[in-house]
Amino acid sequence: MARRPLILLIPADRRTGALTQAGLEGYGYDVLVAGTAEEALDLLRVHQRVSVLVVDVEPEKDSDGIALAQTARRSDPSIHVIYTSGAPYKLHERHKVSGAPCLRTPYHPHQLVGVIGQISSRHCLDEYEMHAA
């Protein structure tokens, strides 16, 4: 049986983090929650198994989330990134890491689970195609 990805969640606030964590755990995911970008970087160093980074960003402000996603991807090119934002249309593609979707807040955990499933299956398909070639 395939192991579910370990999710590192950097929410906009504690309440959102607690609700999202509980929802994802209800779907069987292991979830770590960080309150700041610095805390998230520490968790990424300690938990090498993190495969999905879910980070809230505020495009109209300087967002630590954008820099965090870029740093995480440079450190581990295989990490999946999902941005969450109240204004996803303001998040320019040039600021995003490649292949990272953006989920509009507020969202329900099942919506996030759907996005995680999409990027995970897309990654498996890409790996299959690379090995089949």
Side-chain angles (χ1 to χ4, degrees):
M1 179 175 199
R3 189 174 190 170
R4 292 228 181 229
L6 175 60
I7 313 293
L8 175 53
L9 177 65
I10 302 89
D13 57 68
R14 286 180 195 229
R15 184 171 188 259
T16 300
L19 291 171
T20 303
Q21 179 180 17
L24 290 172
E25 287 173 346
Y27 281 95
Y29 288 97
D30 294 325
V31 182
L32 301 171
V33 180
T36 65
E38 294 80 25
E39 185 181 342
L41 286 171
D42 289 341
L43 288 170
L44 284 168
R45 284 185 204 98
V46 172
H47 297 276
Q48 304 274 318
R49 188 173 80 83
V50 172
S51 57
V52 179
L53 176 69
V54 180
V55 60
D56 190 76
V57 295
E58 295 182 48
E60 56 278 344
K61 299 179 183 177
D62 277 342
S63 178
D64 286 345
I66 292 171
L68 170 63
Q70 293 168 345
T71 299
R73 182 62 70 79
R74 275 193 304 273
S75 296
D76 180 0
S78 69
I79 196 166
H80 295 290
V81 175
I82 300 171
Y83 296 101
T84 62
S85 177
Y89 56 90
K90 292 184 178 180
L91 181 58
H92 297 287
E93 288 298 317
R94 69 179 179 270
H95 295 132
K96 294 169 57 178
V97 298
S98 66
C102 188
L103 185 60
R104 184 181 177 147
T105 58
Y107 57 85
H108 294 279
H110 74 271
Q111 292 171 301
L112 184 53
V113 167
V115 174
I116 292 167
Q118 287 175 342
I119 62 174
S120 295
S121 65
R122 184 176 67 214
H123 176 73
C124 290
L125 181 59
D126 291 345
E127 283 201 358
Y128 170 77
E129 289 172 352
M130 281 182 4
H131 292 299

